[in-house]
Amino acid sequence: MRSLSAWWAGALEHQAHRDARAPGRTWDLRLLPAALAAWAAGMLGTRLPLAQAALGAAACVVVLALLGAVLRVVLRAVADVVARGPAAGQPPSPRPPGHGAGRAGAAGGARADGRRNGPPRGSASWSALALAALAAAAVLLSAAADRPATGALGTVLTDGGTLTVTARVLDPPRPWSAPGPDAPAAGEDRTGVVLELALEEIVHEGHRERVETPATVFADGPAWAGLAPGARLTAVLRADGGQEAGTPVLRAAAPPGVLPAPERTAREDVRARFVVAAAGLGPDAAGLLPGMTFGERSGLDPELEQAMKDTGLTHLTAVSGSNCALVTALAGHAVLALGAGRRTCLLAGLGALGAFVALVGPDPSVLRAAVMGALGAAGLLTGRTALSLTTLAGAVVALLVVRPALAAEYGFVLSVLATAGIVVSARPLARLLGTRVPEVLGIAVAVPAAAQAWCAPVVVLLQPAVPVYSLPANVLAGPLVPLVTVCGLAGLLLLGLPGAPAALAEAALVPLTAGAAGTRLVAGTARLFAGAPAALAPWPDGPAGALLMAVPSAAFVLGVHVLDLRRRRPRPVSGTLRDGPAPPAPTEEDRRRAARRRRRRRAAVAVLALLLLAGPVLRAVLDARRGPPDWQALVCDVGQGDAVLLRTGPGRAVLVDTGPEPRALERCLQRGRVERLDLVVLTHAHADHTGGLPGALHRADVAELWYSTAAPGPPEQVHAAAPGTPVHRPAAGETRTLGDLRLTVLAPQGPAPRRRGPASSSEENDASLALRAELTGQDGTTVSWLLAGDLEEDGARALLRTAGPLADVDVLKLSHHGARNGGTDIIDAASPRLAVVSVGRDNDYGHPHPQILSHLARAGVPLLRTDEHGGVFLLREGDRLRAVPADR
């Protein structure tokens, strides 16, 4: 049996021979100007007013015609000069016999009449220029045609107003926040969700009109936050006016009315059965198996989703070119195995690709991959070689002509950049790595490295951080992707066959179980590297960060190509002859010593790599086995909002406020291993304190819910998000003992008086529940907390007049995220040993305010901030409080 070192040496020798025989790579750049022009036109066309977009398209056509006429005149003049031959008095240059006849048919050769064959010089550049101008004109015209500049929608977008729409939800709602009109002075924020709708029908001033237009809607309230993709609704929306370009941006004026779900289509039925089958194979398979098969990520665990984001593996759950290529190749090889010809195989592959796209949906990445595959197959059908860069450029032009808005979509941009990086830079990088590692390993490293280098400047715009372990994570997870995808596709095919659903579900479990094993390995890889030290390196955000990242990315790509060209350049054969005998050939013993040295070096590198990997693996295993510490309280990092867990027993706690976003709260409950919430307290009805309630209900069993508000009745999100859960509005003085926790309500003294119109922001803040919490440890000692919601100075004074000594506590949760309008009287009355504040990183409201920070410093009170420390466990050790980071 061959030793490992002998196999390694043989693999390197084989790679060196392959590399020496490989021809130099050239790229066909003729379609590249057209793709760049189409992209620029798409970026401009969706932002320019209608008249300017149409004028730009006409200008492209006019310029094209003028340049064509000028170039035609110049080329004809050049051709006439060439046809006249040498000047008078000069003998013709001698030619070998048969030169003209033998090459009369060659491109660029001389014909009998003295003119040249083939296209004239400059025709290639003229073709590229013509294609670029035509592509830009087509994209601009398409953008102008898609503009809702006429009809009721165009009128409302231009002049402002309200309209009633019937629409379908395209993407899950995403949280958003922005400073209020008086922020940061008052410190109040506006929060809600943003979602993409496909408008189907609009009603404006009594006129009904059918439309097919996507729109971006900003809304507030749990009814909007709970919408799922595919849901149909009616809603009243308003526009601010002045919108002449781009995707319509509307704001919700009222909660939506959800329409009855239409009868499920065959496509949706198959997908739903697949999701149900995957859910029974474990939590990792429930999220990753549908995602890696057809892009469905609704079941993905928030903690795993964050781990994949931190390790650069998010793209695995979005259908991309690799999935489309795999589907096409599998279908083509299946038909080929049955004895079909090349064209039949390609047509079968294209048919399978079309069915796959119909199943997945028109995601930008899928559209790009599908169009690129179709163009490549068409090239093969016509007998021409499919050049990847040309095919990619053609796909970009075709997609932008059909949908100009893709030019500004991050998914499409990243997909094209990743493909271009693989086409241009992966092969040179693999050749460089092939001199040190076997070919398979070199390709496994080169492909993700090239894609990441090209995409990095755009990625930092989405997430201003660098995933340090992205490359090794992709190298380890990459070989598992085909396994999971093939098994998922096999299960999907079985579930889609006509027949007995129960029997088909049983048959589909065989490939799905194998795919679930692959998803567990992918999830383990993500968690492993996400838990490693310094998994995310901070990076400047915005355009400055993108430009800063472009420098090392460009240097890396340029260095790879320069080194590859230098290594492949033929070495000079000239030299100096030296007198004397030739040096003696190395003996067998010399060769053995050199081989032993090489083996020792390789073994040292292997041991070093194993040690580097062993550290994160060991830490991840120990953290998983150890679990969270024996905490009393957990201050959750939920961004710009509040959420505090007070432990009542093993796996049980009381939650005070929920933060603005369900997934952030779910991650906090997961870190604390909380499975039951004995009580959920919503201190007041602002979204940064109530928006995460669906996450609490999804992640844990909720026994009871308390609320307070300045409105006469309970907040609508209470009934919308917690049907069947006991709901109570506690009064001041009410107490509740839950395990080791005793809660006392200190404020407000009573419900707000009835009023006309909604309560102001300040009135709602001052209606916050103020709670005194007493946590008793195993040694009988007690730690007291004061949690005062978003009380402003008036509300704090009212609290202190009635609370008396109950306001004196060990830990103070600063009211209103440390805003100035919370005042300092409550800090002086509480005289805490520790203060905590929950704020978002780089928030626009000035939280916590410098005046509050300086007052705490003068009082000698240490401060824990979630924007700086993340989530924090608070533990009691004797008479000391110890803080332990929760976000490990």
Side-chain angles (χ1 to χ4, degrees), residues 3 115 288 347 410 543:
S3 65
R115 290 180 295 172
L288 289 181
L347 290 175
Y410 279 108

Side-chain angles (χ1 to χ4, degrees), residues 55-131:
L55 183 62
C60 289
V61 175
V62 171
V63 170
L64 176 64
L66 291 176
L67 289 177
V70 172
L71 188 59
R72 183 178 181 85
V73 171
V74 172
L75 291 178
R76 180 171 294 178
V78 172
D80 291 341
V81 172
V82 173
R84 285 197 293 269
Q90 295 182 357
S93 59
R95 293 183 179 180
H99 177 81
R103 297 202 171 191
R111 298 197 326 188
D113 57 3
R115 290 180 295 172
R116 296 181 60 85
N117 285 311
R121 294 178 180 177
S123 61
S125 58
W126 159 244
S127 300
L129 180 63
L131 285 174

Side-chain angles (χ1 to χ4, degrees), residues 590-731:
D590 293 335
R591 285 193 291 267
R592 289 177 181 176
R593 279 197 297 268
R596 284 195 295 268
R597 285 195 297 270
R598 287 195 298 269
R599 285 196 296 269
R600 284 195 293 268
R601 286 197 298 267
R602 290 166 183 164
V605 171
V607 169
L608 179 61
L610 289 176
L611 290 176
L612 292 176
L613 288 176
V617 171
L618 184 61
R619 175 177 175 178
V621 172
L622 292 177
D623 287 345
R625 292 179 64 87
R626 182 170 57 239
D630 189 15
W631 55 278
Q632 277 195 331
L634 171 54
V635 182
C636 301
D637 181 9
V638 291
Q640 186 65 22
D642 270 356
V644 177
L645 285 167
L646 304 173
R647 191 175 183 180
T648 58
R652 304 171 63 175
V654 166
L655 173 64
V656 181
D657 286 327
T658 66
E661 205 273 314
R663 291 190 176 184
L665 180 62
E666 288 188 45
R667 287 194 294 270
C668 186
L669 294 172
Q670 171 71 18
R671 288 186 174 93
R673 304 282 179 91
V674 175
E675 299 176 355
R676 175 180 173 83
L677 291 171
D678 295 322
L679 178 64
V680 174
V681 180
L682 304 179
T683 57
H684 63 293
H686 277 160
D688 58 334
H689 293 252
T690 63
L693 181 59
L697 298 168
H698 177 263
R699 190 74 194 184
D701 297 328
V702 177
E704 188 178 1
L705 191 148
W706 284 4
Y707 75 92
S708 179
T709 178
E716 61 174 309
Q717 56 262 43
V718 170
H719 294 303
T725 302
V727 176
H728 176 55
R729 183 171 191 163

Side-chain angles (χ1 to χ4, degrees), residues 131 209 218-219 229 267 270 295 341 365 397 411 434 553 811 825:
L131 285 174
E209 181 179 334
F218 289 85
R267 166 181 173 268
V270 172
S365 172
V397 173
S553 297
V811 183
D825 292 344

